[in-house]
Amino acid sequence: QALRQISQRTISTASRRQVENRVSENQKLFQEDNGLPVHLKGGAKDSLLYTTTAGLTLFGTVYAVYYLLVSSMPKKPN
């Protein structure tokens, strides 16, 4: 019963908090014509995420092609 009271108290207090509406700020940021693609308009964090994803994709592609070439070669007899 104590757990039920704690969970009800948590749910009821969470609904009373005022959430700041920042949609208009984000719309201004993403609709601004600054020559950047939309996936990089978020700043340095977006740029880091994009660069990391591109690097991992390139590494994975090279790794897969390398192992395809290695596995296509016949094994040398001992």
Side-chain angles (χ1 to χ4, degrees), residues 45-64:
K45 189 168 63 170
D46 282 349
S47 179
L48 179 67
L49 183 62
Y50 176 75
T51 305
T52 303
T53 303
L56 286 173
T57 303
L58 182 63
F59 174 75
T61 303
V62 170
Y63 187 75

Side-chain angles (χ1 to χ4, degrees), residues 4-67:
R4 182 181 295 161
Q5 287 177 347
I6 291 171
S7 65
Q8 287 176 349
R9 198 177 307 146
T10 304
I11 292 171
S12 66
T13 57
S15 63
R16 291 185 203 151
R17 292 184 200 151
Q18 290 293 333
V19 177
E20 197 176 323
N21 188 359
R22 297 185 348 216
V23 173
S24 62
E25 295 172 17
N26 287 335
Q27 283 178 340
K28 289 177 188 175
L29 173 71
F30 285 99
Q31 290 177 354
E32 184 179 308
D33 187 20
N34 55 4
L36 289 174
V38 71
H39 59 273
L40 294 177
K41 286 191 177 190
K45 189 168 63 170
D46 282 349
S47 179
L48 179 67
L49 183 62
Y50 176 75
T51 305
T52 303
T53 303
L56 286 173
T57 303
L58 182 63
F59 174 75
T61 303
V62 170
Y63 187 75
V65 169
Y66 170 75
Y67 270 95

